[in-house]
Amino acid sequence: RASIETLGTMHRPFGLMQRLVRDAASAGRCVFRWSVIDTLRWCEESRSCEDCPLEEYCGGLARNAAGFIDIDDAIQQRARVGDDTWKAEMLCERPSRSDTVYPQFDRSVHVAEFETPPAPREGEPGAIWIAGMDFGYRSPTVFLWAWLDEDQDVVHIIDELVEAERTTEELIDAARERPWPRPAWIGADPAGHQRSEQTGLSTIALWKRAGWAVRSRSIALEAGIRAVRRRLKRGDGAVGLRIHPRCKVLIESLSMYHYPPDKPECTVPVKDGHDHAADALRYLIINLDRGDWSVTVRGY
């Protein structure tokens, strides 16, 4: 039996409608999608498609339309809004990314299958394996494996480990079980240097004692975000970051990591669960790309 659960628009990638659409298959829902083009009123033959502002999107479909939105109303709406709003609100192509931390992230560009390079041999050139990690317990610890193509200067995120309520020793064992080469270093949260009151050891110290090299550097959050944005899209338009489709948590996090939509002046992202994987990526990037920042470097 049909029913209305929620009435709204999917204009934000981190909103309620986005979650309902994302989880539709697992919840047994059918999703029907339409845009302003599907609801246009019949377009008279006297109009010229070549001179119409909607021709790029309509492609002549309105010649046989039976909707209720007048062509002139749609043209006026197109003239009043920018491309991002038009594509999000009227064409329903994708939600607006205006409040997201990484609006440059595009699944069609940054997410793709790619081959895994062989493990490097001592003394021979090859891919450099690196990692990024955000520590947690009640909130998940996120560990990202990556390799760097030095010729193209492209970071390839190949896998992720996302675990909550696991001890450091358990996480180290889980990381060892993955099939990837041991990374040359892990870029980690500087907070991992804090010592436990029970053991007197820090989380970073435990990873080092287990044989893993760890880097950490303290830089401003905004500077780290800018470093990731440069990887997503450089000044010349080149892409410096690729993500394997198996990294589902990271992909969703980069899509939904956002600033408070009701506080446009705020530069601190919302901590709603999408920050953990995004932070692990940020720690990886800032320990790889060493810009002209005022930093404190620890753990080398």
Side-chain angles (χ1 to χ4, degrees), residues 8-15 17-18 88-89 94-98:
T9 56
M10 197 172 71
H11 59 281
R12 290 175 180 165
F14 47 85
M17 291 301 296
Q18 171 75 14
E89 301 285 352
R94 65 177 185 179
S96 172
R97 306 297 306 282
S98 58

Side-chain angles (χ1 to χ4, degrees), residues 183-206:
W185 49 262
I186 304 168
D189 183 355
H193 285 288
Q194 297 178 358
R195 295 183 179 182
S196 167
E197 294 181 357
Q198 285 74 32
T199 65
L201 295 172
S202 68
T203 302
I204 287 179
L206 290 173

Side-chain angles (χ1 to χ4, degrees), residues 24 46 66 78 96 108-109 125 137 235:
S46 59
R78 179 66 187 95
S96 172
S108 65
V109 173
Y137 185 76

Side-chain angles (χ1 to χ4, degrees), residues 217-220 223 291-297:
R217 52 192 330 217
S218 300
I219 71 170
D292 295 328
W293 299 309
S294 176
V295 302
T296 301
V297 181

